[in-house]
Amino acid sequence: MAQNIEELQARMEAAARAMDFEEAGRLRDRINLIRGGASMTDAATAETAGIRRQQPGSMGLGSSRQQVAPPPDWTPPPKPDLMTTGRRRPKTERR
């Protein structure tokens, strides 16, 4: 299996040198499928045109975490009143 990956990698590099980036991308996807556990025949027949990779910077610098979306019926809590938060009532008014 390692020999087949090496052959595919050599073909991918040759396609990249020949400026055939579409073929190089298809070969790269096949190599990734094989490394992920797919058989050679499954990787050869797999349709990789629909595979989309995350675009750089779409989620922030250096982040690969998914953005959390709140439930559709969620409303944010009201903001506190800055004039009254952190202030205590005088001792005469406390009970």
Side-chain angles (χ1 to χ4, degrees):
M1 178 130 113
Q3 180 184 7
N4 294 329
I5 291 177
E6 290 173 1
E7 290 172 11
L8 288 173
Q9 197 161 9
R11 286 177 46 199
M12 177 184 70
E13 291 170 0
R17 279 193 299 274
M19 302 291 188
D20 187 5
F21 298 117
E22 292 176 5
E23 178 65 19
R26 281 191 289 275
L27 291 168
R28 177 204 56 214
D29 293 339
R30 282 179 59 189
I31 292 170
N32 287 337
L33 286 172
I34 293 169
R35 286 183 178 160
S39 67
M40 288 294 290
T41 56
D42 290 342
T45 59
E47 178 61 40
T48 58
I51 295 177
R52 290 190 54 210
R53 288 169 178 74
Q54 180 179 356
Q55 297 299 316
S58 65
M59 309 262 302
L61 294 175
S63 174
S64 62
R65 293 184 359 191
Q66 299 295 323
Q67 184 176 2
V68 178
D73 58 342
W74 182 79
T75 57
K79 292 185 178 180
D81 183 7
L82 297 178
M83 297 298 290
T84 59
T85 56
R87 298 183 57 136
R88 297 179 62 181
R89 293 171 36 184
K91 288 185 180 184
T92 57
E93 293 181 21
R94 283 194 232 160
R95 292 194 179 209

